[in-house]
Amino acid sequence: MKESGYNTHIVGKWHLGMYKKPCLPTHRGFDTFFGYLTGSEDYYTHNRSYNGYKGMDFRDGMETVEPNYNGQYSTIVFANRAIDIINNHDSNTPLFLYLPFQAVHAPLQVPEQYEQQYTHIKDKKRRIYAGMVSCMDEAVGNVTQALKDKGLMDNTVVVFSTDNGGQVAEGGNNWPLRGWKGSLWEGGMHGVGFVHSPLLNTSVKGTVNRELIHVTDWFPTFVHLAGGTLNGTKPLDGYNQWNTISQGDQSPRKEILHNIDPLQPSPIGQNIEWDFVNSGSYNASIRAALRVGDWKLITGDPGNSSWVPPQETGLPIVHPTDVTGKMIWLFNIAEDPNEHKDLSLFRPDKVNELFDRMQEYFKTSVPVNYPKDDHRCNPKKLGGAWGPWE
């Protein structure tokens, strides 16, 4: 985006590395950064606790600014900063604004006026969650209005998306999909979103697109929209999806590798040795999921496998009846998006086909490096704030 002449800004959550300065947003293509570096924190104090460590995590560039915003709810703070960026932007220069709100994410916190809109919801977590959504919705509306007032909306693409399914234990819900955040079921990984722009063909406005699109596709899609080039980048996993989004064309993506995690204990309690990737056959006890066309293969431990309806429906939670130690599932997602009908025993040919494809991914995998916690990250050693320690 910078190569195409854009002013680039990030407001909100980073959570993409911080152990040294080259990992930070302003070293990764953004002109400015206003927000926090870690994964979650208090919405008002902007403090983060992790493994016995506690520190402030709120920055304007590299400067810690927590005292100036202590007591202010982050969703509103981030929306106001985004609006300031829009209002002060030179309209003769293109703008890229990345606005990853903290909401909606644990801890569950929201100003009382938003929670009060949902007194009919008896479950406290669900009620607060709903209020957090409404506050974020209002914030998105305010940012959108700022774009209109600035005269930018006529040539803007607005993307609203998510990074995972809802966390049922913290007020979220994915019903009727199966599972939740952290699992390999559709409820854990099938993200919803929308794209709004006058640049969309009228034939696709107001429609639902069910083509395969992955988070890695946003980068080449945005570069295309910016008139940039991917020359000089490493080989990418992503595809330019603009024709799929704007015109309803078939997606260039035919498969999605959801996950391969050889460090995750298998259902039978063993840890997977990475040396297995070169053995020539796929080890079904490895935690993994692969989508090819309409077919989805899951192996190993997929995580919570239940179907959990919202409490207000009065419907019971449905738990799976899989045998202990089961490690292989196969679904046709187009016909069975809620993953009720495991076809692994009925279509061994398709299982073996996807096994072969999974093994191809393994052969090109880089061995996992998941180091132990580095005690140098302790905010006490860094002036009381989370940030780079090397």
Side-chain angles (χ1 to χ4, degrees), residues 120-140:
H120 62 283
I121 299 178
K122 302 307 178 186
D123 180 79
K124 182 175 178 62
K125 288 185 175 181
R126 188 72 175 154
R127 185 171 64 250
I128 296 174
Y129 189 100
M132 295 171 76
V133 172
S134 286
C135 185
M136 179 184 65
D137 181 64
E138 179 183 284
V140 172

Side-chain angles (χ1 to χ4, degrees), residues 316-336:
I317 297 175
V318 178
H319 299 290
T321 57
D322 294 329
V323 297
T324 302
K326 180 175 173 59
M327 293 184 291
I328 301 171
W329 294 262
L330 178 71
F331 300 96
N332 185 309
I333 297 299
E335 297 178 357
D336 180 25

Side-chain angles (χ1 to χ4, degrees), residues 302-375:
N304 187 283
S305 303
S306 302
W307 295 267
V308 184
Q311 286 192 353
E312 55 266 29
T313 66
L315 297 173
I317 297 175
V318 178
H319 299 290
T321 57
D322 294 329
V323 297
T324 302
K326 180 175 173 59
M327 293 184 291
I328 301 171
W329 294 262
L330 178 71
F331 300 96
N332 185 309
I333 297 299
E335 297 178 357
D336 180 25
N338 302 328
E339 297 172 302
H340 285 288
K341 302 174 183 177
D342 174 22
L343 301 175
S344 59
L345 296 180
F346 301 96
R347 291 296 305 273
D349 59 318
K350 183 59 66 173
V351 171
N352 288 328
E353 175 187 327
L354 297 185
F355 272 3
D356 290 343
R357 186 69 187 118
M358 191 80 82
Q359 184 59 21
E360 287 298 315
Y361 277 112
F362 263 73
K363 288 180 179 179
T364 60
S365 297
V366 176
V368 176
N369 177 26
Y370 195 83
K372 295 180 180 180
D373 287 347
D374 190 330
H375 299 294

Side-chain angles (χ1 to χ4, degrees), residues 95-111:
L95 169 68
F96 178 74
L97 173 60
Y98 176 43
L99 179 55
F101 284 107
Q102 182 176 353
V104 176
H105 194 288
L108 299 181
Q109 297 172 296
V110 74

